Amino acid sequence: MHENDRHRVILSAVQDRSLVTVIDLCSLTGASEATIRRDINTLDEQKRLRRVRGGAEAIATKPFVGLAGRPFSVNETMHITEKQAIAAAAVEMCDDGEPIIINGGTTTFQMVHPLASRRVQVFTNSFPIAEHLLKNTQNTVMLSGGIIYREQNIILSPFDNDVTRNFYAKRMFMGAQGIGPLGLMEQDPLLIQAEQKLIGQAEELIVLVDSSKFENRSSLVLCPLERIDTIITDDGIDDRTAAMLEAADVSLTVVPIGAAQKDGVAS
């Protein structure tokens, strides 16, 4: 990742969480601690953030509290090849005319391109998914009501009367912060509340995650593995994780990516 790209990621992360550690930024950018510290010093000198012990913080506090987790703009650059292949496999499960729910996320966003060849009824809480489908496809789109959270580009409401309860779906497609033996995990309580309402409106739950998500953990469990009907992931999944999913009676779809392509994405 080039210096300018790293700076954009660092500034985006600082604005999202107000305070981030050097370790967090190394994970986001793939750069060494020494490189991240130099970047923080440079951005501190430019008055674009404030250097603190072990990391950096935003100069100005945001007037509106956002959600926990990385912003959409950062996540969409990560594992893009895997996400595109996973999303294409998800759209293959959709039949013309059927109602589906697509939850906000960077993997589910990749469904918009193959959906251009379909005509389905889509309910979503994702502003970019809705916008793209409206402009570029013939699909019917319905949005949930609530507040638009800019960093994650999703619409969430703490209230029950947000239209969600009025939509039925054959399938719901969603991503996750992480997956482990206890189930799907997310970082923000409001996000979990909204996703649980959406899950309740669908017959089948299809989870779209690249294989790196099986290594992620969070303090909040969204739903148990047994609630998931199908997980679509890439061929980076290991045998132990596959066995865990099989034991929970979760159907597993693995899309081939190949080592060469993965190396190309990581470089």
Side-chain angles (χ1 to χ4, degrees), residues 235-255:
D235 55 10
I237 185 173
D238 58 43
D239 293 340
R240 182 179 179 182
T241 301
M244 174 187 73
L245 300 177
E246 182 180 0
D249 199 26
V250 177
S251 176
L252 180 62
T253 298
V254 178
V255 296

Side-chain angles (χ1 to χ4, degrees), residues 104-143:
T106 55
T107 304
T108 51
F109 176 78
Q110 293 301 323
M111 291 179 67
V112 300
H113 307 301
L115 275 175
S117 64
R118 305 295 175 93
R119 292 196 178 189
V120 295
Q121 302 173 54
V122 179
F123 184 94
T124 185
N125 62 358
S126 166
F127 190 77
I129 287 176
E131 182 180 37
H132 187 96
L133 291 176
L134 284 171
K135 288 182 177 179
N136 302 287
T137 78
Q138 298 299 312
N139 296 286
T140 301
V141 181
M142 180 181 291
L143 276 168

Side-chain angles (χ1 to χ4, degrees), residues 16 25 34 49 62 79 86-87 100 107-108 110 148 150 161 186 205 234 236 238 245 251 266:
D16 179 53
L25 295 173
L49 53 70
K62 293 191 298 182
H79 304 287
I86 290 166
I100 63 172
T107 304
T108 51
Q110 293 301 323
I148 299 176
R150 288 181 173 85
N161 58 340
E186 283 291 354
L205 179 59
D234 62 83
D238 58 43
L245 300 177
S251 176

Side-chain angles (χ1 to χ4, degrees), residues 140-155:
T140 301
V141 181
M142 180 181 291
L143 276 168
S144 60
I147 298 169
I148 299 176
Y149 287 78
R150 288 181 173 85
E151 290 84 0
Q152 283 80 15
N153 278 329
I154 55 177
I155 305 168

Side-chain angles (χ1 to χ4, degrees), residues 6-18 20 28 62 70-74 151:
R6 290 198 311 273
H7 287 184
R8 280 194 290 269
V9 171
I10 291 169
L11 291 171
S12 178
V14 168
Q15 289 303 316
D16 179 53
R17 284 180 270 174
S18 295
V20 290
L28 283 174
K62 293 191 298 182
R70 285 191 297 256
F72 187 94
S73 59
V74 173
E151 290 84 0

Side-chain angles (χ1 to χ4, degrees), residues 188-234:
D188 193 278
L190 182 58
L191 186 61
I192 285 181
Q193 180 185 11
E195 289 177 332
Q196 286 176 337
K197 283 193 292 184
L198 289 170
I199 290 172
Q201 301 305 115
E203 288 187 22
E204 298 178 33
L205 179 59
I206 317 298
V207 177
L208 283 58
V209 286
D210 67 79
S211 56
S212 71
K213 296 298 181 67
F214 295 108
E215 301 173 2
N216 292 350
R217 294 293 183 268
S218 180
S219 59
L220 301 175
V221 177
L222 169 59
C223 72
L225 288 179
E226 291 74 15
R227 175 60 184 89
I228 304 168
D229 293 281
T230 302
I231 287 180
I232 306 176
T233 189
D234 62 83

